[in-house]
Amino acid sequence: MDGFYLAFGEGLSEEANRMAQALAGLLLKAPPEGLWEAVPAYGTLYLEYDARRLSRKRLLGLVSRLATTLAETGEESRLVEIPVRYDGEDLFEVARRTGLPLEEVKRLHQAPLYRVYALGFTPGFPFLAPVEPALRLPRRPHPRPRVPAHAVAMAGPQTGIYPLPSPGGWHLLGTALVTVYDPHREEPFLLRPGDRVRFREAEGSTPPEPNPLALLPEEPRIPALRVEEPGLLDLVVDGGRFLAGHLGLARSGPLDPYSASLANRLVGNPPGAPLLEVAYRGPVLTALRDLVAAVAGYGLTALLEGEEIPPGQSFFWPRGKTLSFRPKGRGVRVYLAVAGALEGRSFMGSVSPDLRGRIGRPLVAGDILGLGEERAVRPGLAFRQKPLPEAFRLRLLPGPQFSWEAFRALASASFRVVRADRMGVELLGPEVPGGEGLSEATPLGGIQVPPSGRPLVLLVDKGSLGGYAKPARVHPGDLWLFGQVWPGVELTFTCELYRERQHIAPILAWEG
């Protein structure tokens, strides 16, 4: 994995934003093999790619050729009116801090004709600007763990609408009375980049939150497994959802891709074939037909009718027999693959769930999982699973807002994990210099540091855009380890930049 930003301008430049959006559109219309993401923001375009299949030189050459056609690309825009009930949790605090009467706060928020500069963070979240200067306030020092769905909020020169409950560091002004994102609609996204938006004060009831979109077939073609008891978080995942970050959709896929790949390999499935991710406490599953299966990962051991199945080895799972899991050793996730792969419906190129985006859901009791295809495979294939390190030591690379001060702080002492999920790992330790700015694309493995100085490592279900500083990122080869950390564990960072000359190159990439 590699990536870089293209900068077309600074600040709130409509011309720069049109260029970034137009170039992203051309790349996404006919993406070269190996391009993983093309995520535009205000005046930047972030390109993430598989360096084994697509070289930086070739990608930059394609970008240069496409850039010559930008002048010929027009922009469609619509005018959309959004009714708002001004009842936000921070409304009175905004009035106090700006020194404005409450009615003036509301009037000023409704005065501009905003431009949709980007969609991102969560699916369908519109980044709108410019907010009137008299209203502008910096983000909160540390984001709230949960902002309600349909909340209208602002930060600096930006305002936006939270389509779904999510963490967020913006100031809450009110509630949108229309739904800006619903995966069940033929067109899930109410707004698109380039649209003009005007807010209008109104009264009315809060719209309901969208229901999750089912990705598991109700009647599988080849029934294979029945869920007797669900675990804590059991998800059918494939390789992930690529080229959808510009809409705010999460990459998703396995949090520990190393173990997922090993499990699929053991049963003869192709890389990225759908399989089951099991976290912390596993499910109880009954085979509905004879199967060949394999388990890979850490922290849980599989039991077939009470008999332990070693990880890293395929096994015969007879019809009617039950597989369960129990904690064993260090780690928190294992992957269960069956020959023929699991069946799932694809949403925008992937069967993986986007839990924040209400796409898919964890397994529940009574679910029937099917096979994608019937495949004859002999059991007994084994590969040695590499041991989980006794100490979690992660290599650091420069991030978009690189600073030596942040690098030194990250490498100065150990950090303790205070929260670990598919969105990211929040750390507590030495204060790390951070900050905020205009929102831009967030790289996978980026270490986001808000003004509070508490770092967060961004993982596969991260928001696609964010405005907190990202002074560093985790080496791609170490990201799989974050699928196996748990709250309370300690980890340390090592600065490869000091020791390996080739790691100077990423600094030039971010700056360029």
Side-chain angles (χ1 to χ4, degrees), residues 152-461:
V152 176
M154 68 173 192
Q158 310 166 105
T159 186
I161 304 165
Y162 287 81
L164 298 162
S166 70
W170 292 20
H171 303 283
L172 309 184
L173 300 180
T175 304
L177 303 182
V178 295
T179 302
V180 296
Y181 163 75
D182 186 342
H184 295 271
R185 293 192 303 226
E186 183 177 354
E187 174 47 65
F189 307 96
L190 176 65
L191 300 171
R192 56 188 183 222
D195 285 348
R196 300 289 176 170
V197 171
R198 190 178 295 281
F199 290 112
R200 172 178 57 83
E201 186 172 10
E203 294 298 324
S205 57
T206 304
E209 296 178 17
N211 293 318
L213 179 71
L215 295 182
L216 297 176
E218 293 182 7
E219 298 183 4
R221 294 182 300 106
I222 309 172
L225 300 172
R226 181 175 61 245
V227 180
E228 308 295 351
E229 298 176 21
L232 189 63
L233 185 66
D234 313 316
L235 303 172
V236 174
V237 298
D238 58 8
R241 184 171 289 106
F242 297 88
L243 299 175
H246 66 290
L247 299 170
L249 292 164
R251 171 76 52 79
S252 191
L255 202 53
D256 174 359
Y258 162 72
S259 297
S261 176
L262 179 59
N264 267 326
R265 186 181 172 198
L266 286 164
V267 295
N269 292 341
L275 78 173
L276 187 63
E277 180 180 272
V278 174
Y280 291 97
R281 188 187 73 234
V284 178
L285 308 168
T286 299
L288 303 179
R289 63 197 310 113
D290 289 347
L291 300 168
V292 174
V295 173
Y298 308 86
L300 294 162
T301 187
L303 303 171
L304 182 59
E305 294 291 305
E307 182 178 344
E308 186 170 322
I309 301 294
Q313 177 178 312
S314 64
F315 61 94
F316 178 62
W317 185 357
R319 177 180 179 179
K321 301 300 182 180
T322 297
L323 190 75
S324 59
F325 299 83
R326 72 179 176 203
K328 183 178 181 180
R330 301 166 66 251
V332 294
R333 277 179 181 82
V334 297
Y335 293 83
L336 171 66
V338 292
L342 296 177
E343 182 185 10
R345 294 195 185 99
S346 178
F347 180 83
M348 293 196 175
S350 175
V351 305
S352 293
D354 181 338
L355 298 180
R356 281 199 303 163
R358 302 295 168 89
I359 299 163
R361 60 166 174 78
L363 299 188
V364 297
D367 278 343
I368 303 295
L369 304 182
L371 295 180
E373 62 178 336
E374 291 187 276
R375 179 178 295 174
V377 176
R378 288 187 177 183
L381 184 63
F383 295 111
R384 180 173 173 78
Q385 184 173 278
K386 59 186 177 184
L388 201 62
E390 285 299 320
F392 289 98
R393 294 175 61 84
L394 297 313
R395 292 169 289 173
L396 285 181
L397 294 175
Q401 289 80 42
F402 170 78
S403 75
W404 285 110
E405 293 76 16
F407 246 61
R408 281 192 287 267
L410 287 165
S412 65
S414 63
F415 288 81
R416 181 169 57 86
V417 174
V418 295
R419 177 176 65 83
D421 57 29
R422 289 178 53 84
M423 289 173 55
V425 172
E426 187 175 356
L427 305 174
L428 186 62
E431 185 173 323
V432 179
E436 63 169 307
L438 277 179
S439 297
E440 65 180 11
T442 54
L444 185 62
I447 299 181
Q448 176 177 278
V449 185
S452 66
R454 290 174 56 179
L456 176 72
V457 182
L458 302 172
L459 302 178
V460 293
D461 282 3

